Amino acid sequence: MRRIAPYPVLADEVTLTVHEVRLDDVPLPYESTVSERDRRIALHLVGKDWSTVRLVLRAAAPRHELEAGPWKKAAFVATASERRTNVHTAVKLDWGGPAEWVGEVELHRDDHVDRVLISGHLVATVDDVEGRVIADVARPWTVDLQANSPTPRDEIAVRWADFAKVPQLKRHEESPWTVSVTDEAPILYLNSGFEGLRAVLTGTKASDRPARELLASQIAVSLWTTLFNEAIRHVEGTDWPDGWRGMALRRMLPDVFPERSPDDALREVGRGTTAPDLPTRVLHAAIKQAKAPRSLANFIRSLQKTGSEDR
Amino acid sequence: MSDVPSKLGLLPDEVAGSFLNAGVLQNAEPLPQNEIERASTLIDRDAEPVRELFDEAMGRFLSDERTAADAWLAPVLHATLRLTRREAADSGLWNYLALRLAPDYVYWRHLSREAAPTVARNRFVGPFHTQAFARLWWAAELFRDGPDYGPVKVACGNQDVLNTVLRLEVIRHRPTAQAIIRLLETGVVRTGREVNALAQAVNTAGTTLSYEALAPDEPRDTDAYRDWVEAADEAVVPFDRLPRGPEDGRIPKGSVDTLAKLFERLFVDSPAADATSEES
């Protein structure tokens, strides 16, 4: 991310790469643990006994720009943060060659729950002011302690339940579906006690297809609307929220504010947007999400697939 | 309360939220304790030593000085519960304390003083910096200097620290949190307005200055913290002096000094500081 600051900052990107992941001092197989493309590390530690994860990192800045610029005493600070546990660990990396820094960050089991953001910034003395941030890591990493694959997880869970029989859903007893969100994932609950719903959604008869698609897209519109409204409550300043909230905003904001860039649109909602037609804009974006042909087909498939009652 | 549960438990947000109707928030309607207990998952931790803290706090402080109870309760709650951050991140525990173990304390401490008194919903179920008990535990965790709860007492003695500073991401770097408390201790900032001006100045400057680079922290000793957590059963937590926290390492004094000097300068240069000094 390019910074805006009242002093000279780097124009080019600083990259952070993960070279090795060690779990209690045993190196993990790189291929199945690290996805460079998605900048994700999946540790699949659910129910496992572990104490420390160590990441071997290398940061690199554009050498020519850094050497030609007005910066002195450049250093790189790597950070590991998780919002849910208020952990923010910072480690100064060692010099690893011109415009390169190497080092390790450690994550401890007692300090983390779910996803840890690995990032960092380049600091230097500028105009005699020490510790100025002159660049941030362009693409930070996410360490997912629970996922078993480094490619992003299926972000929305779908569950059938008889609402009348589940305490937390009882007040929606008369609704055919409802959406519930936690920090980890949104869950779409379908009411198996709602007569006919299951027959339509999970049926395979071709003659039912128009009804199935119509119903599925209606569910999807209300799902996306809920996700958007819930996600914008978690926007603080200019940071994209973690997890599914970030995913929902990245998908929908370009349709909510087509006249703005995604970052600019995020700033608008972060400021508490005053667009009087916001509900209409959100509805429009939700309809687009719901109708996207591929997304609708996948959505229907996911509704059919979740045949068994989870609770 | 007549039926104190024997164990602590976890009560999920959604279920907890469903019990909070207008009548409950106005303390006009009792919480359905049996239903709450059924909806909770009990954990193997005795409830009684925690419950005792709330009774003690309500006995020590008069209702009209109830905000002062925060500075007493935060350290003893932290030293009694002995949670890892991983455990404390589960809002279910805080919901259980507020709805099941000590709703009377939530009313005592947070019922508004209006014609129609009510407790804000997020004191029962809410983010860590607002929920009645989570805010105290996290304040203790984020402001302690290793085993020393002294800075926690200072932090929780000022409602603006709890309301504003606690939610700033910059204070997750321990020397930053300590430096802010140092300025309160030395009287550089006093009033709520000054605390807010300082918080804003520190937060803004934090976007261009790396406090982590200027004032490095030492890694916390997680093994020592775990030993302390595991000794929870044998612990006797004193009520009349500050308890001792986990020996997981002090914050480097030089780093706190550096930031305290820097923050004082930022505060004095901030426009809000001028306005407040003219007032006093």
Side-chain angles (χ1 to χ4, degrees), chain A residues 204-237:
Chain A
T204 49
K205 264 203 296 197
S207 58
D208 284 345
R209 204 168 129 195
R212 187 161 59 236
E213 292 196 354
L214 188 67
L215 184 55
S217 72
Q218 208 184 335
I219 296 174
V221 169
S222 59
L223 173 70
W224 284 106
T225 308
T226 308
L227 297 192
F228 184 86
N229 289 330
E230 163 61 27
I232 58 173
R233 299 201 297 119
H234 289 256
V235 176
E236 284 171 32

mmCIF file of all heavy atoms in Angstrom, chain A residues 204-237:
data_model
loop_
_atom_site.group_PDB
_atom_site.id
_atom_site.type_symbol
_atom_site.label_atom_id
_atom_site.label_comp_id
_atom_site.label_asym_id
_atom_site.label_seq_id
_atom_site.Cartn_x
_atom_site.Cartn_y
_atom_site.Cartn_z
ATOM 1 N N THR A 204 -34.753 -32.246 -7.509
ATOM 2 C CA THR A 204 -33.935 -32.228 -8.726
ATOM 3 C C THR A 204 -34.812 -32.222 -9.982
ATOM 4 O O THR A 204 -34.306 -32.262 -11.094
ATOM 5 C CB THR A 204 -33.016 -33.472 -8.771
ATOM 6 O OG1 THR A 204 -33.818 -34.622 -8.505
ATOM 7 C CG2 THR A 204 -31.909 -33.365 -7.742
ATOM 8 N N LYS A 205 -36.115 -32.191 -9.786
ATOM 9 C CA LYS A 205 -37.015 -32.221 -10.949
ATOM 10 C C LYS A 205 -36.831 -30.976 -11.812
ATOM 11 O O LYS A 205 -36.862 -29.853 -11.314
ATOM 12 C CB LYS A 205 -38.475 -32.287 -10.473
ATOM 13 C CG LYS A 205 -39.003 -33.723 -10.436
ATOM 14 C CD LYS A 205 -40.516 -33.778 -10.528
ATOM 15 C CE LYS A 205 -41.168 -33.133 -9.340
ATOM 16 N NZ LYS A 205 -42.515 -33.367 -9.043
ATOM 17 N N ALA A 206 -36.678 -31.205 -13.106
ATOM 18 C CA ALA A 206 -36.441 -30.085 -14.010
ATOM 19 C C ALA A 206 -37.609 -29.101 -14.003
ATOM 20 O O ALA A 206 -37.427 -27.891 -14.117
ATOM 21 C CB ALA A 206 -36.191 -30.603 -15.420
ATOM 22 N N SER A 207 -38.827 -29.642 -13.830
ATOM 23 C CA SER A 207 -39.988 -28.744 -13.879
ATOM 24 C C SER A 207 -40.029 -27.798 -12.677
ATOM 25 O O SER A 207 -40.664 -26.753 -12.720
ATOM 26 C CB SER A 207 -41.280 -29.564 -13.946
ATOM 27 O OG SER A 207 -41.339 -30.412 -12.821
ATOM 28 N N ASP A 208 -39.345 -28.159 -11.604
ATOM 29 C CA ASP A 208 -39.305 -27.286 -10.424
ATOM 30 C C ASP A 208 -38.212 -26.232 -10.525
ATOM 31 O O ASP A 208 -38.074 -25.383 -9.652
ATOM 32 C CB ASP A 208 -39.039 -28.109 -9.155
ATOM 33 C CG ASP A 208 -40.278 -28.874 -8.712
ATOM 34 O OD1 ASP A 208 -41.360 -28.521 -9.226
ATOM 35 O OD2 ASP A 208 -40.146 -29.792 -7.897
ATOM 36 N N ARG A 209 -37.401 -26.335 -11.575
ATOM 37 C CA ARG A 209 -36.217 -25.495 -11.616
ATOM 38 C C ARG A 209 -36.489 -23.986 -11.530
ATOM 39 O O ARG A 209 -35.844 -23.290 -10.748
ATOM 40 C CB ARG A 209 -35.404 -25.822 -12.867
ATOM 41 C CG ARG A 209 -33.959 -25.449 -12.663
ATOM 42 C CD ARG A 209 -33.088 -26.016 -13.732
ATOM 43 N NE ARG A 209 -32.294 -24.937 -14.263
ATOM 44 C CZ ARG A 209 -31.631 -24.999 -15.394
ATOM 45 N NH1 ARG A 209 -31.687 -26.058 -16.150
ATOM 46 N NH2 ARG A 209 -30.911 -23.975 -15.791
ATOM 47 N N PRO A 210 -37.465 -23.468 -12.280
ATOM 48 C CA PRO A 210 -37.702 -22.019 -12.156
ATOM 49 C C PRO A 210 -38.048 -21.620 -10.721
ATOM 50 O O PRO A 210 -37.523 -20.627 -10.204
ATOM 51 C CB PRO A 210 -38.885 -21.773 -13.095
ATOM 52 C CG PRO A 210 -38.887 -22.931 -14.043
ATOM 53 C CD PRO A 210 -38.333 -24.101 -13.292
ATOM 54 N N ALA A 211 -38.889 -22.405 -10.069
ATOM 55 C CA ALA A 211 -39.272 -22.085 -8.688
ATOM 56 C C ALA A 211 -38.059 -22.151 -7.773
ATOM 57 O O ALA A 211 -37.852 -21.293 -6.912
ATOM 58 C CB ALA A 211 -40.340 -23.057 -8.200
ATOM 59 N N ARG A 212 -37.207 -23.178 -8.003
ATOM 60 C CA ARG A 212 -36.020 -23.366 -7.171
ATOM 61 C C ARG A 212 -35.065 -22.185 -7.312
ATOM 62 O O ARG A 212 -34.560 -21.632 -6.352
ATOM 63 C CB ARG A 212 -35.339 -24.670 -7.581
ATOM 64 C CG ARG A 212 -34.211 -25.091 -6.708
ATOM 65 C CD ARG A 212 -33.905 -26.565 -6.874
ATOM 66 N NE ARG A 212 -33.547 -26.907 -8.240
ATOM 67 C CZ ARG A 212 -34.155 -27.833 -8.983
ATOM 68 N NH1 ARG A 212 -35.167 -28.528 -8.508
ATOM 69 N NH2 ARG A 212 -33.773 -28.071 -10.222
ATOM 70 N N GLU A 213 -34.876 -21.781 -8.577
ATOM 71 C CA GLU A 213 -33.945 -20.667 -8.806
ATOM 72 C C GLU A 213 -34.466 -19.362 -8.236
ATOM 73 O O GLU A 213 -33.708 -18.554 -7.695
ATOM 74 C CB GLU A 213 -33.650 -20.523 -10.300
ATOM 75 C CG GLU A 213 -32.843 -21.699 -10.811
ATOM 76 C CD GLU A 213 -32.210 -21.429 -12.166
ATOM 77 O OE1 GLU A 213 -32.488 -20.373 -12.762
ATOM 78 O OE2 GLU A 213 -31.432 -22.285 -12.616
ATOM 79 N N LEU A 214 -35.758 -19.167 -8.376
ATOM 80 C CA LEU A 214 -36.354 -17.935 -7.863
ATOM 81 C C LEU A 214 -36.203 -17.863 -6.343
ATOM 82 O O LEU A 214 -35.778 -16.855 -5.777
ATOM 83 C CB LEU A 214 -37.835 -17.886 -8.251
ATOM 84 C CG LEU A 214 -38.542 -16.574 -7.942
ATOM 85 C CD1 LEU A 214 -37.971 -15.453 -8.813
ATOM 86 C CD2 LEU A 214 -40.044 -16.705 -8.190
ATOM 87 N N LEU A 215 -36.533 -18.976 -5.703
ATOM 88 C CA LEU A 215 -36.443 -19.016 -4.242
ATOM 89 C C LEU A 215 -34.986 -18.854 -3.784
ATOM 90 O O LEU A 215 -34.681 -18.086 -2.877
ATOM 91 C CB LEU A 215 -37.020 -20.341 -3.740
ATOM 92 C CG LEU A 215 -37.105 -20.519 -2.224
ATOM 93 C CD1 LEU A 215 -37.892 -19.380 -1.598
ATOM 94 C CD2 LEU A 215 -37.764 -21.850 -1.894
ATOM 95 N N ALA A 216 -34.092 -19.576 -4.476
ATOM 96 C CA ALA A 216 -32.680 -19.491 -4.093
ATOM 97 C C ALA A 216 -32.165 -18.073 -4.256
ATOM 98 O O ALA A 216 -31.416 -17.566 -3.423
ATOM 99 C CB ALA A 216 -31.852 -20.460 -4.934
ATOM 100 N N SER A 217 -32.573 -17.386 -5.327
ATOM 101 C CA SER A 217 -32.032 -16.040 -5.504
ATOM 102 C C SER A 217 -32.634 -15.092 -4.477
ATOM 103 O O SER A 217 -31.976 -14.166 -4.012
ATOM 104 C CB SER A 217 -32.221 -15.537 -6.939
ATOM 105 O OG SER A 217 -33.557 -15.250 -7.183
ATOM 106 N N GLN A 218 -33.870 -15.359 -4.082
ATOM 107 C CA GLN A 218 -34.463 -14.518 -3.035
ATOM 108 C C GLN A 218 -33.707 -14.702 -1.711
ATOM 109 O O GLN A 218 -33.410 -13.732 -1.008
ATOM 110 C CB GLN A 218 -35.924 -14.902 -2.859
ATOM 111 C CG GLN A 218 -36.757 -13.745 -2.356
ATOM 112 C CD GLN A 218 -38.191 -14.175 -2.101
ATOM 113 O OE1 GLN A 218 -38.681 -15.139 -2.696
ATOM 114 N NE2 GLN A 218 -38.844 -13.463 -1.206
ATOM 115 N N ILE A 219 -33.384 -15.947 -1.408
ATOM 116 C CA ILE A 219 -32.602 -16.205 -0.192
ATOM 117 C C ILE A 219 -31.243 -15.517 -0.309
ATOM 118 O O ILE A 219 -30.769 -14.862 0.619
ATOM 119 C CB ILE A 219 -32.394 -17.727 0.016
ATOM 120 C CG1 ILE A 219 -33.734 -18.413 0.251
ATOM 121 C CG2 ILE A 219 -31.447 -17.986 1.192
ATOM 122 C CD1 ILE A 219 -33.650 -19.931 0.326
ATOM 123 N N ALA A 220 -30.628 -15.638 -1.489
ATOM 124 C CA ALA A 220 -29.305 -15.061 -1.678
ATOM 125 C C ALA A 220 -29.323 -13.543 -1.545
ATOM 126 O O ALA A 220 -28.410 -12.951 -0.977
ATOM 127 C CB ALA A 220 -28.738 -15.475 -3.035
ATOM 128 N N VAL A 221 -30.371 -12.896 -2.045
ATOM 129 C CA VAL A 221 -30.451 -11.434 -1.922
ATOM 130 C C VAL A 221 -30.496 -11.033 -0.448
ATOM 131 O O VAL A 221 -29.772 -10.145 -0.007
ATOM 132 C CB VAL A 221 -31.688 -10.867 -2.676
ATOM 133 C CG1 VAL A 221 -31.904 -9.404 -2.321
ATOM 134 C CG2 VAL A 221 -31.517 -11.027 -4.170
ATOM 135 N N SER A 222 -31.335 -11.737 0.322
ATOM 136 C CA SER A 222 -31.409 -11.339 1.728
ATOM 137 C C SER A 222 -30.117 -11.693 2.463
ATOM 138 O O SER A 222 -29.672 -10.974 3.356
ATOM 139 C CB SER A 222 -32.643 -11.925 2.423
ATOM 140 O OG SER A 222 -32.633 -13.321 2.350
ATOM 141 N N LEU A 223 -29.475 -12.790 2.042
ATOM 142 C CA LEU A 223 -28.192 -13.156 2.643
ATOM 143 C C LEU A 223 -27.140 -12.066 2.393
ATOM 144 O O LEU A 223 -26.494 -11.579 3.319
ATOM 145 C CB LEU A 223 -27.725 -14.494 2.062
ATOM 146 C CG LEU A 223 -26.318 -14.962 2.435
ATOM 147 C CD1 LEU A 223 -26.256 -15.363 3.893
ATOM 148 C CD2 LEU A 223 -25.893 -16.148 1.568
ATOM 149 N N TRP A 224 -26.979 -11.657 1.145
ATOM 150 C CA TRP A 224 -25.958 -10.652 0.817
ATOM 151 C C TRP A 224 -26.251 -9.304 1.466
ATOM 152 O O TRP A 224 -25.339 -8.595 1.896
ATOM 153 C CB TRP A 224 -25.805 -10.513 -0.697
ATOM 154 C CG TRP A 224 -25.038 -11.665 -1.258
ATOM 155 C CD1 TRP A 224 -25.514 -12.718 -1.976
ATOM 156 C CD2 TRP A 224 -23.623 -11.899 -1.105
ATOM 157 N NE1 TRP A 224 -24.509 -13.601 -2.276
ATOM 158 C CE2 TRP A 224 -23.347 -13.125 -1.764
ATOM 159 C CE3 TRP A 224 -22.595 -11.207 -0.475
ATOM 160 C CZ2 TRP A 224 -22.050 -13.659 -1.814
ATOM 161 C CZ3 TRP A 224 -21.311 -11.745 -0.520
ATOM 162 C CH2 TRP A 224 -21.045 -12.946 -1.179
ATOM 163 N N THR A 225 -27.564 -8.972 1.542
ATOM 164 C CA THR A 225 -27.917 -7.704 2.185
ATOM 165 C C THR A 225 -27.507 -7.740 3.659
ATOM 166 O O THR A 225 -26.907 -6.800 4.189
ATOM 167 C CB THR A 225 -29.442 -7.460 2.068
ATOM 168 O OG1 THR A 225 -29.811 -7.603 0.701
ATOM 169 C CG2 THR A 225 -29.818 -6.077 2.564
ATOM 170 N N THR A 226 -27.810 -8.857 4.312
ATOM 171 C CA THR A 226 -27.452 -8.996 5.730
ATOM 172 C C THR A 226 -25.932 -8.939 5.911
ATOM 173 O O THR A 226 -25.428 -8.257 6.809
ATOM 174 C CB THR A 226 -27.962 -10.344 6.286
ATOM 175 O OG1 THR A 226 -29.336 -10.464 5.978
ATOM 176 C CG2 THR A 226 -27.765 -10.417 7.783
ATOM 177 N N LEU A 227 -25.220 -9.674 5.043
ATOM 178 C CA LEU A 227 -23.761 -9.707 5.185
ATOM 179 C C LEU A 227 -23.165 -8.315 5.024
ATOM 180 O O LEU A 227 -22.285 -7.903 5.775
ATOM 181 C CB LEU A 227 -23.135 -10.646 4.143
ATOM 182 C CG LEU A 227 -23.515 -12.112 4.222
ATOM 183 C CD1 LEU A 227 -22.592 -12.933 3.336
ATOM 184 C CD2 LEU A 227 -23.448 -12.616 5.656
ATOM 185 N N PHE A 228 -23.670 -7.580 4.040
ATOM 186 C CA PHE A 228 -23.131 -6.251 3.808
ATOM 187 C C PHE A 228 -23.376 -5.351 5.015
ATOM 188 O O PHE A 228 -22.471 -4.691 5.521
ATOM 189 C CB PHE A 228 -23.756 -5.633 2.551
ATOM 190 C CG PHE A 228 -23.171 -4.290 2.204
ATOM 191 C CD1 PHE A 228 -22.029 -4.203 1.435
ATOM 192 C CD2 PHE A 228 -23.749 -3.116 2.676
ATOM 193 C CE1 PHE A 228 -21.463 -2.969 1.141
ATOM 194 C CE2 PHE A 228 -23.190 -1.886 2.390
ATOM 195 C CZ PHE A 228 -22.044 -1.808 1.615
ATOM 196 N N ASN A 229 -24.634 -5.353 5.476
ATOM 197 C CA ASN A 229 -24.973 -4.469 6.599
ATOM 198 C C ASN A 229 -24.191 -4.829 7.855
ATOM 199 O O ASN A 229 -23.792 -3.964 8.625
ATOM 200 C CB ASN A 229 -26.473 -4.520 6.869
ATOM 201 C CG ASN A 229 -27.252 -3.825 5.769
ATOM 202 O OD1 ASN A 229 -26.739 -2.882 5.146
ATOM 203 N ND2 ASN A 229 -28.442 -4.288 5.495
ATOM 204 N N GLU A 230 -23.968 -6.111 8.057
ATOM 205 C CA GLU A 230 -23.207 -6.552 9.213
ATOM 206 C C GLU A 230 -21.723 -6.186 9.040
ATOM 207 O O GLU A 230 -21.061 -5.735 9.974
ATOM 208 C CB GLU A 230 -23.425 -8.055 9.390
ATOM 209 C CG GLU A 230 -22.439 -8.790 10.271
ATOM 210 C CD GLU A 230 -22.387 -8.314 11.711
ATOM 211 O OE1 GLU A 230 -23.405 -7.793 12.210
ATOM 212 O OE2 GLU A 230 -21.310 -8.469 12.323
ATOM 213 N N ALA A 231 -21.218 -6.354 7.817
ATOM 214 C CA ALA A 231 -19.789 -6.107 7.591
ATOM 215 C C ALA A 231 -19.429 -4.641 7.746
ATOM 216 O O ALA A 231 -18.381 -4.310 8.292
ATOM 217 C CB ALA A 231 -19.375 -6.620 6.206
ATOM 218 N N ILE A 232 -20.305 -3.728 7.312
ATOM 219 C CA ILE A 232 -19.904 -2.311 7.393
ATOM 220 C C ILE A 232 -19.847 -1.821 8.835
ATOM 221 O O ILE A 232 -19.160 -0.862 9.135
ATOM 222 C CB ILE A 232 -20.795 -1.340 6.556
ATOM 223 C CG1 ILE A 232 -22.256 -1.414 6.965
ATOM 224 C CG2 ILE A 232 -20.634 -1.591 5.075
ATOM 225 C CD1 ILE A 232 -23.111 -0.344 6.275
ATOM 226 N N ARG A 233 -20.512 -2.537 9.727
ATOM 227 C CA ARG A 233 -20.408 -2.143 11.138
ATOM 228 C C ARG A 233 -19.009 -2.396 11.682
ATOM 229 O O ARG A 233 -18.639 -1.887 12.733
ATOM 230 C CB ARG A 233 -21.427 -2.920 11.990
ATOM 231 C CG ARG A 233 -22.882 -2.652 11.585
ATOM 232 C CD ARG A 233 -23.842 -2.991 12.695
ATOM 233 N NE ARG A 233 -23.812 -4.400 13.049
ATOM 234 C CZ ARG A 233 -23.491 -4.855 14.245
ATOM 235 N NH1 ARG A 233 -23.156 -4.025 15.208
ATOM 236 N NH2 ARG A 233 -23.490 -6.140 14.484
ATOM 237 N N HIS A 234 -18.221 -3.204 10.981
ATOM 238 C CA HIS A 234 -16.881 -3.536 11.463
ATOM 239 C C HIS A 234 -15.780 -2.810 10.716
ATOM 240 O O HIS A 234 -14.619 -3.144 10.833
ATOM 241 C CB HIS A 234 -16.649 -5.046 11.378
ATOM 242 C CG HIS A 234 -17.455 -5.794 12.391
ATOM 243 N ND1 HIS A 234 -16.917 -6.318 13.531
ATOM 244 C CD2 HIS A 234 -18.782 -6.056 12.445
ATOM 245 C CE1 HIS A 234 -17.876 -6.890 14.237
ATOM 246 N NE2 HIS A 234 -19.011 -6.748 13.596
ATOM 247 N N VAL A 235 -16.148 -1.838 9.901
ATOM 248 C CA VAL A 235 -15.121 -1.083 9.190
ATOM 249 C C VAL A 235 -14.624 0.014 10.112
ATOM 250 O O VAL A 235 -15.412 0.786 10.649
ATOM 251 C CB VAL A 235 -15.684 -0.460 7.898
ATOM 252 C CG1 VAL A 235 -14.630 0.399 7.225
ATOM 253 C CG2 VAL A 235 -16.168 -1.547 6.955
ATOM 254 N N GLU A 236 -13.309 0.016 10.338
ATOM 255 C CA GLU A 236 -12.734 1.087 11.137
ATOM 256 C C GLU A 236 -11.678 1.763 10.302
ATOM 257 O O GLU A 236 -10.724 1.118 9.878
ATOM 258 C CB GLU A 236 -12.116 0.535 12.424
ATOM 259 C CG GLU A 236 -13.169 0.182 13.460
ATOM 260 C CD GLU A 236 -12.578 -0.564 14.646
ATOM 261 O OE1 GLU A 236 -11.409 -0.299 14.972
ATOM 262 O OE2 GLU A 236 -13.289 -1.396 15.218
ATOM 263 N N GLY A 237 -11.869 3.034 10.027
ATOM 264 C CA GLY A 237 -10.884 3.769 9.236
ATOM 265 C C GLY A 237 -10.777 3.219 7.833
ATOM 266 O O GLY A 237 -11.786 3.019 7.160
#
